[in-house]
Amino acid sequence: MNKKTNDNWHHKRHDRFRKLFYYPVKLFTRLKDGFITEVSDKIPVGPAIILSNHLTTYDPINLCLSFKETLYTVTTDDVFNKRLAGWFLKTFLNPIPKSKSVSDLKCVKTILKVLKEGYKVALFPEGNRSYTGKLCYVNDSIAKLCKIAKCPIIIFNMEGGYAVDPRWGRAHRKGEVHCTLRTIISKDDVLKYSQEELYNSIIENLTVSPYKYEIGHKNKRIAEYIERAIYYCPNCDSFETINSHIDNVYCLKCGYELKYKHDMTFDLIKGEKNIKTVEEWYNIQSKKMESFDPKAIDGKIFEDYGVTLYSVVRFRRKKPIIKNGHLVMTNKEIYIEGQHKKTIIPIDTIREGCVVMKNKANFYVEDYLYQFKGRVRFSALKYVELYHHIKNIESNTSGDGEFLGL
């Protein structure tokens, strides 16, 4: 007689692991990142969808520390491709895997399954960490999911994370990260609101200012590596010329220079373009990309050296194909050339592209996934943005940064 299998998402070992490590992890994050949270007695018992803005590497952990009960986070499936880390996560935490920037019906089904079992699910509806500290594009499918789930929505705000751990940053800085309960939308209100009304309420409550907390003044190398996010010089109208050192950002071509301060604003040192924040610079860069005509350039548009190309089989392995290669993107293809091998990916065969972690670019070709990982200053963002810009031109649509969404 066959034994009956338990196909529940939740297992008792998840509760035991949480009880064992809750306070040690909370102490570690308090000492490392200045993480501060209080468990609210307003949080309802039973299934609920938990939403938060996304600023730091450890936001999923910090969000879990804001609850005394086991909850399950929606996590990029990239973390499962490392065998040991994937096994550990699956065994003791069992997060819900999600492929970035592509439709993932299995993820939605798993979310609904976990809710049906009576547990809470936490997700970051931006689908990605912000490069500027401001809320990224959020797909309105999040409201549709909440309407289908028919359960309360608990919205948290992460504040101070952009000062402590910006996505483009070199390392964690000393400071404070606050995780606070913003609001609870009851099940009755979820059912009562229209999808548009619910979406607007979610966006309003996820929105926070990135400038509420400053970077701790003991931190020195606060501008490194901003070129992961900023690759355009507005002073001389050039791509791929931005570099950073300690608290200075400068253009290798024209000498344009800014000083990045602990209040996360810039002082102009040399040049004519007076930019005050990363957000302002990022918006200028985005407008430049929108007006840029890649078809007018015959040959390379972007390039990097020291890039490794991986082939990724979801949940199983990540295998290097070319190590320390020369990566080039034109208006027709992406190719990487190593010592004895060259791989070419025509842009018209790519169905989606996204940025993973801080310096990885994922490109989906049919059911296959290519991942490019560069050195510490590598901007994966520029390749993904150029890809979407080319696709928008071909489809005659405008870009709103939607590729960064869930």
Side-chain angles (χ1 to χ4, degrees):
M1 184 175 177
N2 293 330
K3 290 183 178 180
K4 185 178 179 180
T5 59
N6 181 4
D7 63 349
N8 286 347
W9 196 261
H10 172 264
H11 291 276
K12 290 183 179 179
R13 63 175 177 271
H14 304 156
D15 300 329
R16 291 194 291 265
F17 182 83
R18 176 182 178 80
K19 289 178 181 178
L20 181 62
F21 288 99
Y22 178 83
Y23 288 106
V25 172
K26 191 171 184 178
L27 177 61
F28 172 78
T29 57
R30 180 71 179 93
L31 295 174
K32 181 175 174 57
D33 295 332
F35 174 66
I36 299 171
T37 188
E38 294 294 334
V39 179
S40 174
D41 57 6
K42 297 179 181 179
I43 295 173
V45 176
I49 291 179
I50 302 155
L51 304 179
S52 173
N53 59 313
H54 196 7
L55 295 173
T56 78
T57 305
Y58 297 110
D59 283 348
I61 296 174
N62 293 342
L63 196 54
C64 288
L65 291 172
S66 302
F67 291 79
K68 280 291 180 69
E69 61 187 294
T70 298
L71 57 90
Y72 296 95
T73 59
V74 176
T75 306
T76 173
D77 57 12
D78 186 69
V79 301
F80 292 90
N81 293 321
K82 294 180 180 179
R83 188 169 297 176
L84 182 59
W87 171 85
F88 179 85
L89 288 171
K90 181 68 177 173
T91 302
F92 296 107
L93 299 172
N94 209 16
I96 301 168
K98 166 73 172 70
S99 294
K100 278 185 176 290
S101 295
V102 295
S103 177
D104 195 336
L105 184 59
K106 186 175 181 180
C107 175
V108 174
K109 289 181 176 179
T110 304
I111 290 171
L112 297 176
K113 173 184 172 66
V114 174
L115 293 170
K116 189 175 181 180
E117 289 180 17
Y119 295 91
K120 293 178 172 64
V121 174
L123 58 90
F124 301 92
E126 295 164 276
N128 240 312
R129 287 175 58 190
S130 172
Y131 278 100
T132 66
K134 290 295 184 72
L135 193 72
C136 297
Y137 169 82
V138 176
N139 195 295
D140 60 6
S141 61
I142 186 62
K144 183 178 181 180
L145 171 64
C146 293
K147 294 285 284 184
I148 293 171
K150 299 178 182 178
C151 64
I153 302 171
I154 305 170
I155 300 180
F156 276 77
N157 288 160
M158 297 288 181
E159 296 180 290
Y162 189 65
V164 170
D165 182 27
R167 187 173 189 180
W168 49 262
R170 177 178 183 270
H172 282 245
R173 297 94 172 264
K174 293 294 182 181
E176 289 187 359
V177 178
H178 294 256
C179 181
T180 55
L181 175 64
R182 176 72 173 265
T183 192
I184 298 173
I185 304 176
S186 69
K187 177 181 176 179
D188 289 342
D189 284 340
V190 170
L191 296 174
K192 180 179 69 175
Y193 291 159
S194 69
Q195 187 172 314
E196 183 179 359
E197 288 173 331
L198 185 59
Y199 175 78
N200 290 336
S201 179
I202 289 170
I203 296 301
E204 179 184 352
N205 286 290
L206 286 174
T207 301
V208 298
S209 170
Y211 308 110
K212 186 174 180 179
Y213 299 94
E214 293 189 354
I215 303 170
H217 284 265
K218 290 184 179 180
N219 299 285
K220 303 300 180 185
R221 310 178 81 87
I222 58 176
E224 300 177 350
Y225 301 109
I226 202 170
E227 55 267 44
R228 288 171 171 169
I230 302 298
Y231 53 86
Y232 169 70
C233 175
N235 195 66
C236 66
D237 194 33
S238 300
F239 285 126
E240 298 190 299
T241 60
I242 299 301
N243 209 334
S244 61
H245 180 63
I246 305 179
D247 58 356
N248 281 31
V249 184
Y250 54 92
C251 175
L252 295 169
K253 184 177 180 180
C254 70
Y256 177 57
E257 188 172 358
L258 298 168
K259 182 181 179 68
Y260 191 59
K261 300 183 296 181
H262 288 79
D263 64 358
M264 293 174 287
T265 63
F266 291 108
D267 276 344
L268 180 64
I269 296 176
K270 184 179 179 181
E272 298 182 358
K273 196 71 176 179
N274 191 10
I275 292 174
K276 281 300 177 184
T277 64
V278 175
E279 181 190 10
E280 182 184 349
W281 198 340
Y282 185 88
N283 290 338
I284 292 170
Q285 177 175 279
S286 296
K287 288 180 181 178
K288 173 63 180 179
M289 180 60 77
E290 288 174 12
S291 64
F292 171 64
D293 182 11
K295 300 295 183 182
I297 298 180
D298 184 18
K300 66 184 178 184
I301 300 174
F302 293 146
E303 69 174 336
D304 281 276
Y305 291 89
V307 178
T308 297
L309 170 63
Y310 294 92
S311 66
V312 180
V313 178
R314 197 180 185 203
F315 307 133
R316 292 181 60 188
R317 69 173 189 275
K318 185 161 67 173
K319 181 180 178 181
I321 299 174
I322 295 175
K323 294 182 179 180
N324 296 316
H326 177 206
L327 176 63
V328 174
M329 186 168 184
T330 71
N331 58 34
K332 295 180 180 179
E333 62 189 17
I334 303 172
Y335 69 83
I336 182 168
E337 193 168 8
Q339 192 171 4
H340 304 293
K341 192 173 183 179
K342 183 176 182 178
T343 297
I344 301 173
I345 309 171
I347 288 176
D348 59 10
T349 66
I350 301 173
R351 63 183 177 91
E352 191 53 80
C354 64
V355 181
V356 179
M357 303 301 182
K358 292 193 173 187
N359 63 339
K360 302 175 186 177
N362 278 8
F363 290 99
Y364 297 83
V365 181
E366 295 179 348
D367 294 328
Y368 200 75
L369 172 58
Y370 290 101
Q371 184 176 94
F372 296 96
K373 182 179 180 181
R375 295 170 180 169
V376 290
R377 297 180 186 273
F378 175 68
S379 174
L381 179 66
K382 67 187 179 187
Y383 291 97
V384 174
E385 287 194 328
L386 179 57
Y387 159 74
H388 282 274
H389 179 50
I390 292 171
K391 286 291 188 180
N392 287 336
I393 291 173
E394 291 174 350
S395 61
N396 197 27
T397 58
S398 62
D400 292 317
E402 296 186 9
F403 65 92
L404 291 176
L406 182 65

